[in-house]
Amino acid sequence: MRLKRKVDNFLLSWKNDKTHLPLIIKGARQIGKTDAIEHFAKNNYKSVVEINFVLQKQFKSIFDDGFEVDTIIKNISFINPNFEFIPGETLLFFDEIQDCINCATSLKSFRIDGRYDVICSGSLMGINYHEIESNSVGNKQDYEMYSMDFEEFLWAKGYKEEQIEDLYEHMKNCEPLSQLEFDVMLNNFHEYMIVGGMPAIVRTFIENKNYSGILNMQKQIIKDYEEDITKYAHGLDQGKILNVYRKIPVFLGNENKKFQISKVKDGARNREYIGTIEWLDNAGIINISYCLDQVSLPLRGNYNPDNYRIYFRDTGLLIGSLDDEVQDDLRSNKNFNTYKGAIYENIVADMLVKSGYSLYFYKNDRGTIEMDFIVRDKDSLIPIEVKAEDGSVISLNNMITSNSFKDIKYGIKLCNKNIGFNGKFYTFPYFLTFLLKDYLKGK
């Protein structure tokens, strides 16, 4: 079973652009990068030269004689004479390039030469990606890939584009969904919350039509990420990165979700953990939400880099990190409120990032106003309140009505209720978060 991905259309557009540069697809491990590229290559090129620098270490020497394209091709052919190089019809796919930094240096030569298309991929963890970036600046295009979003999950379950377009039309017209539509989509969303978006796990769930084996797969990926930390975190204390990584669920379970290094380990100090958070972010493992000092445009110029919250990039992995009792409650009873709303907040963060948003939240000094997320449209800021239960929205109302927040004209409440508008804020069910950016662009 091959899972349709959004990167599929991007790759076609990239190929059809006559001025396209060599492409680097970056992202965390096991999110489907290699599968997507191989599928694209098979269907669009007469010849594909695929090299994996982790599994085929002998190819790391192909750049030893310089970076001229003909020299590189000659060395590749010497190692594997069965490869064909047809100008205009060949894709060179270099996988796991974090293990061969010289490959990035060669991209300038391939760009200038122009006879062959080049796509690179890899987990690109931490400092390795910065080396790749500096070695290939101006000679490549980046595409950041994530685990499957909710729309891709719906595709995997068989839903069509027109059905998703119908959901968007309901949002655009502020028209409630029918009870059947609401209940079915909410059930799909609960499944997605438990399963997450890792392609192998989604495929297993779709094929088995149950959760059998899912938890073990999630726990294995979490272990694999820990192994990657010990393998790729060069120049940093790997133990400190592991301390941060393992404490994420603990902080998310607190009422105050602010991540504090001093509570990661007794006696820990910020200066001892410099670079650890950034490494996990660069590795594609976490999402970071920064607290705004001022709720005003532009967002990027008004946040506090020392006040932040950390979320898993895939909510399925958050589920996999919880204790067995919570696991059983989630799968048997769909009781997502057992974890103080952290699961809902994490999945909203994940869906916003996958839609192209950076993450910001707000909490004033007195603690009287707290907003889970703040995004923007073309000319205003939009506070988003995430409600695990359908309670009051005092902070949301205060931010909309207060003269202190002049860039805010309306807000959004995300909960398990149908579409609506009360004159101040829009209410949307959680499962429509993936359409939020398109909705705000269309307003």
Side-chain angles (χ1 to χ4, degrees):
M1 175 186 179
R2 203 268 160 175
L3 300 174
K4 178 183 174 184
R5 302 298 303 275
K6 291 183 176 178
V7 70
D8 298 342
N9 287 335
F10 170 81
L11 288 168
L12 286 173
S13 297
W14 170 80
K15 185 180 189 302
N16 292 331
D17 181 355
K18 294 181 180 179
T19 63
H20 65 256
L21 301 173
L23 178 65
I24 295 182
I25 295 185
K26 58 180 181 176
R29 283 193 179 279
Q30 303 188 50
I31 59 171
K33 299 185 300 294
T34 299
D35 176 76
I37 297 167
E38 288 177 341
H39 175 76
F40 162 73
K42 178 182 177 181
N43 289 283
N44 289 278
Y45 293 90
K46 289 183 179 178
S47 176
V48 179
V49 177
E50 180 174 353
I51 294 171
N52 183 308
F53 290 115
V54 169
L55 301 179
Q56 300 166 296
K57 295 185 182 299
Q58 67 271 26
F59 282 97
K60 293 170 71 171
S61 63
I62 61 177
F63 308 105
D64 289 353
D65 298 319
F67 297 100
E68 290 295 324
V69 171
D70 286 337
T71 302
I72 296 169
I73 299 304
K74 177 182 176 182
N75 287 340
I76 293 174
S77 297
F78 193 77
I79 297 172
N80 186 343
N82 294 316
F83 281 139
E84 285 189 272
F85 295 88
I86 308 168
E89 297 288 350
T90 299
L91 174 71
L92 278 77
F93 173 25
F94 296 120
D95 204 1
E96 303 287 8
I97 65 166
Q98 76 277 357
D99 270 42
C100 186
I101 302 302
N102 280 338
C103 182
T105 306
S106 73
L107 298 184
K108 180 177 181 179
S109 297
F110 281 107
R111 177 187 66 80
I112 294 172
D113 182 273
R115 285 176 291 168
Y116 311 106
D117 286 352
V118 178
I119 296 179
C120 302
S121 183
S123 49
L124 309 180
M125 291 197 153
I127 193 170
N128 288 308
Y129 185 70
H130 293 306
E131 293 179 42
I132 290 168
E133 179 74 25
S134 62
N135 285 11
S136 55
V137 62
N139 296 295
K140 49 84 180 173
Q141 179 180 355
D142 283 324
Y143 180 92
E144 187 160 9
M145 192 172 168
Y146 303 97
S147 63
M148 296 173 70
D149 66 14
F150 184 51
E151 184 172 12
E152 291 172 317
F153 181 80
L154 291 176
W155 291 345
K157 293 202 69 176
Y159 287 90
K160 307 297 189 292
E161 297 279 0
E162 54 267 26
Q163 292 171 297
I164 293 170
E165 179 63 27
D166 185 63
L167 295 176
Y168 174 72
E169 289 297 317
H170 277 273
M171 289 182 74
K172 188 171 71 171
N173 298 323
C174 203
E175 176 187 353
L177 299 163
S178 72
Q179 194 61 51
L180 184 146
E181 291 171 322
F182 183 90
D183 290 344
V184 171
M185 277 299 138
L186 182 59
N187 184 66
N188 287 326
F189 187 64
H190 284 164
E191 291 176 348
Y192 178 66
M193 291 176 75
I194 293 173
V195 172
M198 291 298 185
I201 297 178
V202 172
R203 185 181 295 109
T204 298
F205 174 73
I206 298 295
E207 291 176 347
N208 292 344
K209 297 181 173 61
N210 59 52
Y211 297 110
S212 176
I214 297 300
L215 178 57
N216 288 336
M217 295 177 74
Q218 290 169 336
K219 288 186 178 296
Q220 185 59 53
I221 291 177
I222 292 170
K223 290 179 182 177
D224 290 345
Y225 279 6
E226 292 190 359
E227 289 180 7
D228 284 339
I229 289 170
T230 61
K231 180 178 180 181
Y232 290 111
H234 306 303
L236 293 171
D237 188 319
Q238 297 157 356
K240 289 185 171 68
I241 297 177
L242 285 171
N243 285 343
V244 170
Y245 179 54
R246 291 167 178 167
K247 282 293 194 303
I248 295 172
V250 176
F251 282 94
L252 285 177
N254 295 335
E255 291 295 339
N256 178 11
K257 295 178 174 61
K258 178 181 177 181
F259 201 91
Q260 297 171 283
I261 293 297
S262 60
K263 295 182 179 180
V264 169
K265 187 178 180 181
D266 290 342
R269 299 179 181 180
N270 283 329
R271 67 172 180 268
E272 299 170 344
Y273 280 75
I274 291 174
T276 56
I277 307 298
E278 292 80 0
W279 191 93
L280 288 167
D281 185 30
N282 290 335
I285 296 174
I286 63 171
N287 289 318
I288 305 175
S289 181
Y290 291 101
C291 184
L292 293 171
D293 283 332
Q294 300 178 60
V295 184
S296 59
L297 294 168
L299 287 171
R300 288 184 182 274
N302 290 302
Y303 73 88
N304 181 353
D306 298 319
N307 188 351
Y308 54 88
R309 296 170 176 175
I310 297 178
Y311 302 97
F312 276 87
R313 279 207 183 179
D314 187 271
T315 301
L317 298 187
L318 169 61
I319 299 292
S321 71
L322 303 178
D323 57 61
D324 291 342
E325 290 76 18
V326 175
Q327 297 279 348
D328 293 339
D329 199 11
L330 287 170
R331 286 171 170 77
S332 301
N333 305 319
K334 298 292 194 297
N335 186 6
F336 294 98
N337 297 330
T338 57
Y339 197 48
K340 298 181 180 179
I343 296 172
Y344 284 111
E345 197 169 313
N346 195 98
I347 200 162
V348 169
D350 182 45
M351 294 172 85
L352 290 175
V353 168
K354 287 172 177 175
S355 297
Y357 285 112
S358 297
L359 298 179
Y360 302 98
F361 70 98
Y362 179 68
K363 186 174 184 178
N364 65 4
D365 293 336
R366 293 174 295 167
T368 55
I369 296 179
E370 182 173 357
M371 191 52 50
D372 299 308
F373 301 102
I374 296 179
V375 299
R376 64 166 299 174
D377 59 18
K378 58 182 180 295
D379 57 6
S380 64
L381 293 177
I382 302 102
I384 298 176
E385 188 153 359
V386 177
K387 301 299 291 186
E389 298 177 350
D390 187 32
S392 60
V393 285
I394 297 172
S395 290
L396 186 60
N397 279 315
N398 287 343
M399 294 194 79
I400 295 168
T401 58
S402 173
N403 292 327
S404 300
F405 307 106
K406 295 181 179 179
D407 288 328
I408 293 176
K409 299 174 183 177
Y410 63 93
I412 291 173
K413 174 184 174 183
L414 296 174
C415 58
N416 285 328
K417 290 190 69 176
N418 217 321
I419 298 169
F421 180 61
N422 65 0
K424 293 180 182 179
F425 59 83
Y426 294 88
T427 297
F428 294 122
Y430 285 113
F431 55 76
L432 293 181
T433 304
F434 78 100
L435 293 170
L436 202 55
K437 189 159 192 175
D438 288 339
Y439 170 76
L440 294 176
K441 281 183 178 180
K443 279 186 66 66

